Coordinates of all heavy atoms in Angstrom, one line a residue:
M1 N 0.8 -1.1 0.0 CA 0.0 0.0 0.0 C 0.9 1.2 0.0 O 1.8 1.4 0.9 CB -0.9 0.0 1.2 CG -1.7 1.2 1.4 SD -2.8 1.1 2.8 CE -2.1 2.4 3.8
A2 N 0.7 2.1 -1.0 CA 1.5 3.3 -1.1 C 0.9 4.4 -0.2 O -0.4 4.6 -0.3 CB 1.6 3.7 -2.5
V3 N 1.7 5.1 0.6 CA 1.2 6.2 1.3 C 1.5 7.4 0.7 O 2.7 7.7 0.3 CB 1.8 6.2 2.7 CG1 1.2 7.3 3.5 CG2 1.3 4.9 3.4
R4 N 0.6 8.4 0.4 CA 0.9 9.6 -0.3 C 1.7 10.5 0.7 O 1.6 10.5 1.9 CB -0.4 10.4 -0.6 CG -1.2 9.7 -1.7 CD -2.5 10.3 -2.0 NE -3.4 10.5 -1.0 CZ -3.9 11.6 -0.4 NH1 -3.6 12.8 -1.0 NH2 -4.7 11.5 0.7
K5 N 2.6 11.2 0.1 CA 3.5 12.2 0.9 C 2.6 13.1 1.7 O 3.0 13.5 2.9 CB 4.4 12.9 0.0 CG 5.5 12.0 -0.6 CD 6.4 13.0 -1.5 CE 7.5 12.1 -2.1 NZ 8.4 12.9 -2.9
Q6 N 1.5 13.6 1.2 CA 0.7 14.6 1.9 C 0.3 14.0 3.2 O 0.1 14.7 4.2 CB -0.4 15.0 1.0 CG -1.3 16.1 1.7 CD -0.5 17.4 1.9 OE1 0.3 17.7 1.1 NE2 -0.7 18.0 3.0
V7 N -0.1 12.7 3.2 CA -0.6 12.1 4.4 C 0.6 12.1 5.5 O 0.4 12.3 6.6 CB -1.1 10.7 4.1 CG1 -1.4 9.9 5.5 CG2 -2.2 10.7 3.3
L8 N 1.8 11.7 5.0 CA 2.9 11.8 5.9 C 3.2 13.2 6.4 O 3.4 13.3 7.7 CB 4.2 11.3 5.2 CG 4.2 9.9 4.7 CD1 5.5 9.6 3.9 CD2 4.1 8.9 5.9
Y9 N 3.0 14.2 5.6 CA 3.2 15.7 6.0 C 2.2 15.9 7.1 O 2.5 16.6 8.1 CB 3.1 16.6 4.9 CG 4.1 16.4 3.9 CD1 3.8 16.6 2.4 CD2 5.5 16.2 4.2 CE1 4.8 16.4 1.5 CE2 6.5 16.0 3.1 CZ 6.1 16.2 1.8 OH 7.1 16.1 0.9
E10 N 0.9 15.5 6.9 CA -0.1 15.8 7.8 C 0.1 15.2 9.2 O -0.2 15.8 10.3 CB -1.4 15.4 7.3 CG -2.0 16.2 6.0 CD -3.1 15.7 5.2 OE1 -3.7 14.6 5.7 OE2 -3.4 16.2 4.3
L11 N 0.6 13.9 9.1 CA 0.9 13.2 10.3 C 2.1 14.0 11.1 O 1.9 14.1 12.3 CB 1.4 11.8 10.0 CG 0.3 10.8 9.6 CD1 0.9 9.5 9.2 CD2 -0.8 10.7 10.7
I12 N 3.0 14.4 10.4 CA 4.1 15.1 11.1 C 3.6 16.5 11.7 O 4.0 16.8 12.8 CB 5.3 15.4 10.1 CG1 5.9 14.1 9.8 CG2 6.2 16.5 10.7 CD1 6.9 14.2 8.6
E13 N 2.6 17.1 10.9 CA 2.0 18.4 11.5 C 1.3 18.1 12.8 O 1.2 19.0 13.6 CB 1.1 18.9 10.4 CG 1.9 19.6 9.3 CD 2.8 20.8 9.7 OE1 2.3 21.7 10.6 OE2 3.9 21.0 9.2
R14 N 0.7 16.9 12.9 CA -0.1 16.6 14.1 C 0.6 16.2 15.3 O 0.2 16.2 16.4 CB -1.1 15.5 13.7 CG -2.2 16.0 12.8 CD -3.1 14.9 12.3 NE -3.5 13.9 13.3 CZ -4.0 12.7 13.0 NH1 -4.2 12.4 11.8 NH2 -4.4 12.0 14.1
L15 N 2.0 16.0 15.1 CA 2.8 15.5 16.1 C 3.0 16.6 17.1 O 3.1 17.8 16.8 CB 4.2 15.1 15.7 CG 4.4 13.8 15.0 CD1 5.7 13.7 14.4 CD2 4.0 12.7 15.9
D16 N 3.1 16.3 18.4 CA 3.5 17.2 19.6 C 4.9 17.6 19.2 O 5.7 16.9 18.8 CB 3.4 16.5 20.9 CG 3.6 17.5 22.0 OD1 2.5 18.1 22.4 OD2 4.7 17.7 22.4
E17 N 5.2 18.9 19.4 CA 6.6 19.4 19.2 C 7.6 18.6 19.9 O 8.7 18.5 19.3 CB 6.5 20.9 19.6 CG 7.8 21.6 19.0 CD 7.7 23.1 19.2 OE1 6.6 23.7 19.0 OE2 8.8 23.7 19.4
T18 N 7.3 18.0 21.0 CA 8.3 17.3 21.7 C 8.7 16.0 20.9 O 9.8 15.4 21.2 CB 7.9 16.9 23.1 OG1 6.7 16.2 23.1 CG2 7.7 18.1 23.9
D19 N 7.9 15.6 20.0 CA 8.2 14.4 19.2 C 8.9 14.6 17.9 O 9.1 13.7 17.2 CB 6.9 13.6 19.0 CG 6.3 13.0 20.2 OD1 7.1 12.5 21.1 OD2 5.1 13.1 20.4
H20 N 9.1 16.0 17.6 CA 9.6 16.3 16.3 C 11.0 15.7 16.1 O 11.4 15.1 15.0 CB 9.8 17.8 16.1 CG 8.5 18.4 15.8 ND1 8.3 19.7 15.5 CD2 7.1 17.8 15.7 CE1 7.0 20.0 15.3 NE2 6.3 18.9 15.4
Q21 N 11.9 15.7 17.2 CA 13.2 15.1 17.1 C 13.2 13.6 16.9 O 14.0 13.0 16.0 CB 14.0 15.4 18.4 CG 15.4 14.9 18.4 CD 16.3 15.6 17.3 OE1 16.2 16.9 17.2 NE2 17.1 14.9 16.4
T22 N 12.2 12.9 17.6 CA 12.1 11.4 17.4 C 11.7 11.2 15.9 O 12.3 10.2 15.3 CB 11.0 10.9 18.4 OG1 11.5 11.2 19.7 CG2 10.9 9.5 18.2
A23 N 10.8 11.9 15.4 CA 10.3 11.6 14.0 C 11.5 11.9 13.0 O 11.7 11.2 12.1 CB 9.2 12.6 13.6
Y24 N 12.3 13.0 13.3 CA 13.4 13.3 12.5 C 14.4 12.1 12.5 O 14.8 11.8 11.4 CB 14.0 14.7 12.9 CG 15.3 14.9 12.2 CD1 15.3 15.6 10.9 CD2 16.5 14.7 12.8 CE1 16.6 15.8 10.3 CE2 17.8 14.9 12.1 CZ 17.7 15.5 10.8 OH 18.8 15.7 10.3
D25 N 14.7 11.7 13.7 CA 15.7 10.6 13.9 C 15.3 9.4 13.2 O 16.0 8.7 12.5 CB 15.9 10.3 15.4 CG 16.6 11.5 16.1 OD1 17.2 12.4 15.4 OD2 16.6 11.5 17.3
F26 N 14.0 9.0 13.2 CA 13.5 7.8 12.6 C 13.5 7.9 11.1 O 14.0 7.1 10.4 CB 12.1 7.6 13.1 CG 11.6 6.2 12.5 CD1 12.1 5.0 12.9 CD2 10.5 6.2 11.5 CE1 11.7 3.9 12.3 CE2 10.0 5.0 11.0 CZ 10.6 3.9 11.3
L27 N 13.2 9.1 10.5 CA 13.2 9.3 9.1 C 14.6 9.3 8.6 O 15.0 8.7 7.5 CB 12.6 10.7 8.7 CG 11.0 10.8 8.9 CD1 10.6 12.2 8.7 CD2 10.4 9.9 7.9
M28 N 15.5 9.8 9.3 CA 17.0 9.7 9.0 C 17.5 8.3 9.0 O 18.2 7.8 8.2 CB 17.9 10.6 9.9 CG 17.6 12.1 9.7 SD 17.8 12.7 8.0 CE 19.6 12.4 7.9
Y29 N 17.1 7.5 10.0 CA 17.3 6.1 10.1 C 16.8 5.4 8.9 O 17.5 4.5 8.2 CB 16.7 5.5 11.3 CG 16.6 4.0 11.2 CD1 17.7 3.2 11.5 CD2 15.3 3.4 11.0 CE1 17.6 1.8 11.4 CE2 15.2 2.0 10.9 CZ 16.3 1.2 11.0 OH 16.2 -0.1 11.0
L30 N 15.6 5.6 8.4 CA 14.9 4.9 7.2 C 15.9 5.4 5.9 O 16.1 4.5 5.1 CB 13.5 5.4 7.0 CG 12.6 4.8 8.1 CD1 11.2 5.4 7.7 CD2 12.6 3.4 8.1
L31 N 16.2 6.6 5.9 CA 17.0 7.0 4.8 C 18.3 6.4 4.6 O 18.8 5.8 3.6 CB 17.2 8.6 4.7 CG 15.9 9.3 4.4 CD1 16.1 10.8 4.6 CD2 15.4 9.1 2.9
D32 N 19.0 6.2 5.9 CA 20.3 5.7 6.0 C 20.2 4.1 5.6 O 21.0 3.6 4.9 CB 20.9 5.9 7.3 CG 22.3 5.4 7.4 OD1 23.2 5.8 6.5 OD2 22.6 4.7 8.4
R33 N 19.2 3.5 6.2 CA 19.0 2.1 5.9 C 18.8 1.8 4.4 O 19.3 0.8 3.9 CB 17.8 1.5 6.7 CG 17.6 0.0 6.6 CD 16.4 -0.4 7.2 NE 15.2 0.1 6.5 CZ 13.9 -0.1 6.8 NH1 13.6 -0.8 7.9 NH2 13.0 0.4 6.2
S34 N 17.9 2.6 3.8 CA 17.7 2.5 2.4 C 19.0 2.6 1.6 O 19.2 1.9 0.6 CB 16.6 3.5 1.9 OG 16.5 3.4 0.6
R35 N 19.8 3.6 1.9 CA 21.1 3.9 1.2 C 22.0 2.7 1.3 O 22.6 2.3 0.4 CB 21.7 5.2 1.7 CG 23.0 5.6 1.0 CD 23.6 6.8 1.6 NE 23.9 6.7 3.0 CZ 25.0 6.1 3.5 NH1 25.9 5.5 2.7 NH2 25.3 5.9 4.7
K36 N 22.1 2.2 2.5 CA 22.9 1.0 2.8 C 22.5 -0.2 2.1 O 23.3 -0.9 1.5 CB 23.1 0.7 4.3 CG 23.9 1.8 5.1 CD 23.9 1.4 6.5 CE 24.8 2.5 7.2 NZ 24.8 2.3 8.7
E37 N 21.1 -0.4 2.0 CA 20.7 -1.7 1.3 C 21.0 -1.5 -0.3 O 21.4 -2.4 -0.8 CB 19.2 -1.7 1.6 CG 18.8 -2.2 2.8 CD 17.3 -2.2 3.2 OE1 16.5 -1.8 2.3 OE2 17.0 -2.7 4.3
R38 N 20.9 -0.3 -0.7 CA 21.2 -0.1 -2.1 C 22.7 -0.4 -2.4 O 23.1 -1.0 -3.4 CB 20.8 1.3 -2.6 CG 19.4 1.4 -3.1 CD 19.2 2.8 -3.8 NE 19.7 3.9 -3.1 CZ 19.0 4.7 -2.2 NH1 17.9 4.3 -1.9 NH2 19.7 5.7 -1.7
M39 N 23.5 0.1 -1.5 CA 24.9 -0.1 -1.6 C 25.3 -1.6 -1.6 O 26.1 -2.0 -2.4 CB 25.7 0.7 -0.5 CG 25.6 2.2 -0.7 SD 26.4 3.1 0.8 CE 28.0 2.4 0.8
V40 N 24.7 -2.3 -0.7 CA 25.0 -3.7 -0.7 C 24.5 -4.4 -2.0 O 25.3 -5.2 -2.5 CB 24.2 -4.4 0.6 CG1 24.2 -5.9 0.4 CG2 24.8 -3.9 1.8
W41 N 23.3 -4.1 -2.5 CA 22.9 -4.8 -3.7 C 23.8 -4.3 -4.9 O 24.1 -5.1 -5.9 CB 21.4 -4.4 -4.0 CG 20.6 -5.3 -3.2 CD1 19.8 -4.9 -2.1 CD2 20.5 -6.7 -3.1 NE1 19.2 -5.9 -1.5 CE2 19.5 -7.0 -2.1 CE3 20.9 -7.8 -3.9 CZ2 19.2 -8.3 -1.9 CZ3 20.6 -9.0 -3.7 CH2 19.7 -9.3 -2.6
E42 N 24.3 -3.0 -4.9 CA 25.2 -2.7 -6.1 C 26.5 -3.3 -5.9 O 27.0 -3.7 -7.0 CB 25.4 -1.0 -5.9 CG 24.2 -0.3 -6.2 CD 24.3 1.2 -5.8 OE1 25.4 1.6 -5.4 OE2 23.3 2.0 -6.1
R43 N 27.0 -3.6 -4.8 CA 28.2 -4.4 -4.6 C 28.0 -5.8 -5.0 O 28.9 -6.4 -5.7 CB 28.8 -4.3 -3.2 CG 29.4 -3.1 -2.8 CD 30.3 -3.2 -1.6 NE 29.7 -4.0 -0.5 CZ 29.1 -3.6 0.5 NH1 28.9 -2.3 0.7 NH2 28.7 -4.3 1.5
I44 N 26.8 -6.4 -4.7 CA 26.6 -7.7 -5.1 C 26.4 -7.8 -6.7 O 27.0 -8.7 -7.3 CB 25.2 -8.2 -4.5 CG1 25.5 -8.5 -3.1 CG2 24.8 -9.5 -5.2 CD1 24.2 -8.8 -2.2
D45 N 25.8 -6.8 -7.3 CA 25.6 -6.7 -8.7 C 27.0 -6.6 -9.4 O 27.2 -7.2 -10.5 CB 24.7 -5.6 -9.2 CG 23.3 -5.9 -8.8 OD1 22.9 -7.1 -8.6 OD2 22.6 -4.9 -8.8
E46 N 27.9 -5.9 -8.8 CA 29.3 -5.7 -9.4 C 30.2 -6.9 -9.2 O 31.2 -7.0 -9.9 CB 29.9 -4.5 -8.8 CG 29.2 -3.2 -9.2 CD 29.7 -2.1 -8.3 OE1 30.6 -2.2 -7.5 OE2 29.2 -0.9 -8.6
T47 N 29.8 -7.8 -8.3 CA 30.8 -8.9 -7.9 C 30.7 -10.0 -9.0 O 29.6 -10.4 -9.4 CB 30.4 -9.6 -6.6 OG1 30.4 -8.5 -5.7 CG2 31.3 -10.7 -6.2
D48 N 31.8 -10.4 -9.5 CA 31.8 -11.5 -10.4 C 31.8 -12.8 -9.6 O 32.7 -13.1 -8.8 CB 33.1 -11.5 -11.3 CG 33.2 -12.6 -12.3 OD1 32.3 -13.4 -12.4 OD2 34.4 -12.7 -12.8
E49 N 30.7 -13.6 -9.8 CA 30.4 -14.8 -9.0 C 31.5 -15.8 -9.1 O 31.9 -16.4 -8.1 CB 29.2 -15.4 -9.4 CG 28.0 -14.6 -9.0 CD 26.6 -15.3 -9.5 OE1 26.6 -16.6 -9.7 OE2 25.6 -14.5 -9.6
E50 N 32.2 -15.8 -10.3 CA 33.3 -16.8 -10.4 C 34.5 -16.5 -9.6 O 35.2 -17.4 -9.1 CB 33.7 -16.9 -11.9 CG 32.6 -17.6 -12.8 CD 32.3 -19.1 -12.3 OE1 33.3 -19.8 -12.1 OE2 31.2 -19.3 -12.3
E51 N 34.7 -15.2 -9.3 CA 35.8 -14.7 -8.5 C 35.6 -15.1 -7.1 O 36.6 -15.3 -6.4 CB 36.1 -13.3 -8.7 CG 36.5 -12.8 -10.0 CD 36.8 -11.3 -10.1 OE1 36.7 -10.7 -9.0 OE2 36.9 -10.8 -11.2
T52 N 34.5 -15.1 -6.6 CA 34.2 -15.3 -5.2 C 34.2 -16.8 -4.8 O 34.2 -17.1 -3.7 CB 32.9 -14.7 -4.8 OG1 31.9 -15.4 -5.5 CG2 32.9 -13.3 -5.0
L53 N 34.2 -17.8 -5.8 CA 34.1 -19.2 -5.5 C 35.6 -19.8 -5.4 O 36.4 -19.4 -6.2 CB 33.4 -19.9 -6.6 CG 31.9 -19.6 -6.8 CD1 31.3 -20.3 -7.9 CD2 31.1 -19.7 -5.5
T54 N 35.7 -20.7 -4.5 CA 37.0 -21.4 -4.4 C 36.9 -22.5 -5.4 O 35.9 -22.8 -6.0 CB 37.1 -22.1 -3.0 OG1 36.2 -23.0 -2.8 CG2 37.2 -21.0 -1.9
E55 N 38.1 -23.2 -5.7 CA 38.1 -24.3 -6.7 C 37.2 -25.4 -6.2 O 36.5 -26.0 -7.0 CB 39.6 -24.7 -6.9 CG 39.7 -25.8 -7.9 CD 39.2 -25.4 -9.3 OE1 39.3 -24.2 -9.6 OE2 38.5 -26.3 -10.0
E56 N 37.2 -25.7 -4.9 CA 36.3 -26.7 -4.4 C 34.9 -26.4 -4.6 O 34.1 -27.2 -4.9 CB 36.6 -26.9 -2.8 CG 35.8 -27.9 -2.3 CD 36.0 -28.1 -0.7 OE1 36.8 -27.3 -0.1 OE2 35.5 -29.0 -0.1
E57 N 34.5 -25.2 -4.4 CA 33.1 -24.8 -4.6 C 32.7 -24.9 -6.1 O 31.5 -25.3 -6.4 CB 32.9 -23.3 -4.1 CG 33.0 -23.2 -2.6 CD 33.1 -21.7 -2.1 OE1 33.6 -20.9 -3.0 OE2 32.6 -21.4 -1.1
R58 N 33.6 -24.5 -6.9 CA 33.3 -24.6 -8.3 C 33.1 -26.1 -8.7 O 32.2 -26.5 -9.5 CB 34.4 -24.1 -9.2 CG 34.5 -22.6 -9.3 CD 35.5 -22.1 -10.3 NE 35.8 -20.7 -10.2 CZ 36.8 -20.2 -9.5 NH1 37.7 -21.1 -9.0 NH2 37.0 -18.9 -9.3
Q59 N 33.9 -27.0 -8.2 CA 33.8 -28.4 -8.5 C 32.5 -29.0 -7.9 O 31.8 -29.8 -8.5 CB 35.0 -29.3 -7.8 CG 36.3 -29.0 -8.5 CD 37.4 -29.6 -7.9 OE1 37.2 -30.2 -6.8 NE2 38.6 -29.4 -8.4
Q60 N 32.0 -28.5 -6.6 CA 30.8 -28.9 -6.2 C 29.6 -28.5 -7.0 O 28.7 -29.1 -7.2 CB 30.7 -28.4 -4.8 CG 31.6 -29.0 -3.7 CD 31.5 -28.3 -2.4 OE1 31.0 -27.2 -2.2 NE2 32.1 -28.9 -1.3
L61 N 29.7 -27.2 -7.5 CA 28.6 -26.8 -8.3 C 28.5 -27.5 -9.6 O 27.3 -27.7 -10.1 CB 28.8 -25.2 -8.6 CG 28.5 -24.3 -7.5 CD1 28.8 -22.8 -7.8 CD2 27.0 -24.4 -7.1
Q62 N 29.5 -28.0 -10.1 CA 29.5 -28.7 -11.4 C 29.2 -30.2 -11.2 O 29.0 -30.9 -12.2 CB 30.9 -28.6 -12.1 CG 31.1 -27.1 -12.6 CD 32.5 -26.9 -13.0 OE1 33.4 -27.8 -12.9 NE2 32.8 -25.7 -13.5
S63 N 29.2 -30.6 -10.0 CA 28.9 -32.1 -9.7 C 27.4 -32.3 -9.5 O 26.6 -31.5 -8.9 CB 29.7 -32.5 -8.4 OG 29.2 -33.7 -8.0
D64 N 27.0 -33.4 -10.0 CA 25.6 -33.8 -9.6 C 25.4 -34.5 -8.2 O 24.3 -34.7 -7.8 CB 25.0 -34.8 -10.7 CG 24.8 -34.1 -12.0 OD1 24.6 -32.9 -12.1 OD2 24.8 -34.8 -13.1
E65 N 26.5 -34.8 -7.6 CA 26.4 -35.4 -6.4 C 25.9 -34.4 -5.2 O 26.2 -33.3 -5.2 CB 27.8 -35.8 -5.9 CG 28.0 -36.6 -4.6 CD 29.3 -37.1 -4.3 OE1 30.0 -37.4 -5.2 OE2 29.6 -37.0 -3.1
G66 N 25.0 -35.0 -4.4 CA 24.4 -34.2 -3.3 C 23.2 -33.4 -3.7 O 22.6 -32.8 -2.9
Y67 N 22.8 -33.4 -5.0 CA 21.6 -32.7 -5.3 C 20.4 -33.6 -5.3 O 20.5 -34.8 -5.7 CB 21.7 -32.1 -6.8 CG 22.6 -30.9 -6.8 CD1 23.9 -31.1 -7.2 CD2 22.0 -29.6 -6.5 CE1 24.8 -29.9 -7.2 CE2 22.9 -28.6 -6.5 CZ 24.2 -28.7 -6.9 OH 25.0 -27.6 -7.0
I68 N 19.3 -33.3 -4.7 CA 18.1 -34.0 -4.8 C 16.9 -33.2 -5.3 O 17.0 -31.9 -5.1 CB 17.8 -34.6 -3.4 CG1 17.6 -33.5 -2.4 CG2 18.8 -35.6 -3.0 CD1 17.1 -34.1 -1.0
I69 N 16.0 -33.8 -5.8 CA 14.8 -33.0 -6.4 C 13.9 -32.6 -5.2 O 13.9 -33.3 -4.1 CB 14.0 -33.7 -7.5 CG1 13.6 -35.0 -7.0 CG2 15.0 -33.8 -8.7 CD1 12.7 -35.8 -8.0
G70 N 13.0 -31.7 -5.4 CA 12.1 -31.2 -4.3 C 11.3 -32.4 -3.7 O 11.1 -32.4 -2.4
G71 N 10.7 -33.2 -4.5 CA 9.9 -34.3 -4.0 C 10.6 -35.2 -3.0 O 10.1 -35.7 -2.0
E72 N 11.9 -35.5 -3.4 CA 12.7 -36.4 -2.6 C 13.0 -35.7 -1.2 O 13.1 -36.3 -0.2 CB 14.1 -36.6 -3.3 CG 13.9 -37.6 -4.5 CD 15.2 -37.8 -5.2 OE1 16.2 -37.1 -4.9 OE2 15.2 -38.5 -6.3
A73 N 13.4 -34.3 -1.3 CA 13.6 -33.7 0.0 C 12.5 -33.6 0.9 O 12.5 -33.8 2.1 CB 14.1 -32.3 -0.4
K74 N 11.3 -33.5 0.2 CA 10.0 -33.4 1.0 C 9.8 -34.7 1.8 O 9.5 -34.7 3.0 CB 8.9 -33.2 0.0 CG 7.5 -33.1 0.8 CD 6.4 -32.7 -0.2 CE 5.1 -32.6 0.5 NZ 4.0 -32.1 -0.3
R75 N 10.0 -35.9 1.1 CA 9.9 -37.2 1.7 C 11.0 -37.4 2.8 O 10.7 -37.8 4.0 CB 9.9 -38.3 0.7 CG 8.6 -38.4 -0.1 CD 8.6 -39.6 -1.0 NE 9.7 -39.7 -1.9 CZ 9.7 -39.1 -3.1 NH1 8.7 -38.3 -3.5 NH2 10.7 -39.1 -3.9
E76 N 12.2 -37.1 2.4 CA 13.3 -37.4 3.3 C 13.2 -36.6 4.6 O 13.5 -37.1 5.6 CB 14.6 -37.1 2.6 CG 15.9 -37.4 3.5 CD 17.2 -37.2 2.7 OE1 17.2 -37.2 1.4 OE2 18.2 -37.0 3.4
F77 N 12.8 -35.3 4.6 CA 12.8 -34.5 5.7 C 11.5 -34.3 6.3 O 11.2 -33.5 7.2 CB 13.5 -33.1 5.4 CG 14.9 -33.2 4.9 CD1 15.3 -33.0 3.6 CD2 15.9 -33.5 5.9 CE1 16.6 -33.2 3.3 CE2 17.2 -33.6 5.5 CZ 17.6 -33.5 4.3
G78 N 10.4 -34.9 5.7 CA 9.0 -34.8 6.2 C 8.5 -33.4 6.1 O 7.7 -32.9 6.9
L79 N 8.8 -32.8 5.0 CA 8.3 -31.3 4.9 C 6.9 -31.2 4.5 O 6.4 -32.2 3.8 CB 9.2 -30.6 3.8 CG 10.7 -30.5 4.0 CD1 11.4 -29.9 2.9 CD2 10.9 -29.8 5.3
Q80 N 6.2 -30.3 4.9 CA 4.8 -30.1 4.6 C 4.5 -29.1 3.4 O 3.3 -28.9 3.0 CB 4.1 -29.5 5.9 CG 4.2 -30.4 7.0 CD 3.5 -31.8 6.8 OE1 2.5 -31.8 6.2 NE2 4.3 -32.8 7.2
V81 N 5.7 -28.7 2.7 CA 5.4 -27.7 1.6 C 5.9 -28.4 0.3 O 6.6 -29.4 0.3 CB 6.3 -26.4 1.8 CG1 5.8 -25.6 3.0 CG2 7.8 -26.8 1.9
D82 N 5.4 -28.0 -0.8 CA 5.7 -28.5 -2.1 C 7.0 -27.7 -2.6 O 7.1 -26.6 -2.6 CB 4.6 -28.4 -3.1 CG 3.5 -29.3 -2.8 OD1 3.7 -30.4 -2.3 OD2 2.4 -28.8 -3.1
L83 N 8.0 -28.5 -3.0 CA 9.3 -27.9 -3.4 C 9.3 -28.2 -4.9 O 8.9 -29.3 -5.5 CB 10.4 -28.5 -2.7 CG 10.5 -28.3 -1.3 CD1 11.6 -29.2 -0.6 CD2 10.7 -26.8 -0.9
P84 N 10.1 -27.3 -5.7 CA 10.2 -27.5 -7.2 C 11.1 -28.8 -7.4 O 11.8 -29.2 -6.6 CB 10.7 -26.3 -7.8 CG 11.3 -25.5 -6.5 CD 10.6 -26.1 -5.2

């Protein structure tokens, strides 16, 4: 659900003046959190996956050993959800 900016402005206007600092601090926290999340995803996007894997990990990814299909995992572990 998208909240219109005008509604947010109206809520801030209704705050007691003693709560202005708290509202400001929380909004700054949200902005900082959003900026950090974007930075993390940008770094992930820039990372070459092959560079981050060890030789052992590359071999494991190329091997069929250890992989099971969803139905087998469901039976083996008694899961109640359907897996692909």
Side-chain angles (χ1 to χ4, degrees):
M1 175 177 115
V3 177
R4 293 179 298 126
K5 287 182 183 181
Q6 185 60 37
V7 172
L8 296 173
Y9 297 143
E10 291 169 6
L11 289 172
I12 291 170
E13 286 296 321
R14 290 175 41 197
L15 285 175
D16 187 88
E17 195 169 316
T18 59
D19 292 322
H20 286 183
Q21 183 65 47
T22 302
Y24 173 82
D25 292 342
F26 184 67
L27 290 170
M28 292 304 293
Y29 160 77
L30 292 175
L31 290 170
D32 188 50
R33 183 185 70 178
S34 176
R35 182 183 60 79
K36 286 180 180 175
E37 286 174 359
R38 275 195 310 273
M39 289 173 54
V40 167
W41 285 111
E42 287 169 1
R43 282 199 319 262
I44 290 172
D45 287 342
E46 292 171 359
T47 302
D48 181 7
E49 291 179 21
E50 291 300 316
E51 289 180 15
T52 60
L53 299 177
T54 66
E55 184 58 36
E56 180 181 3
E57 291 168 329
R58 283 191 195 96
Q59 290 173 1
Q60 289 173 347
L61 284 173
Q62 294 169 354
S63 168
D64 289 335
E65 186 178 322
Y67 286 96
I68 60 173
I69 60 173
E72 292 173 357
K74 184 177 179 178
R75 282 189 302 281
E76 183 176 338
F77 298 106
L79 301 175
Q80 301 297 317
V81 296
D82 290 326
L83 299 171

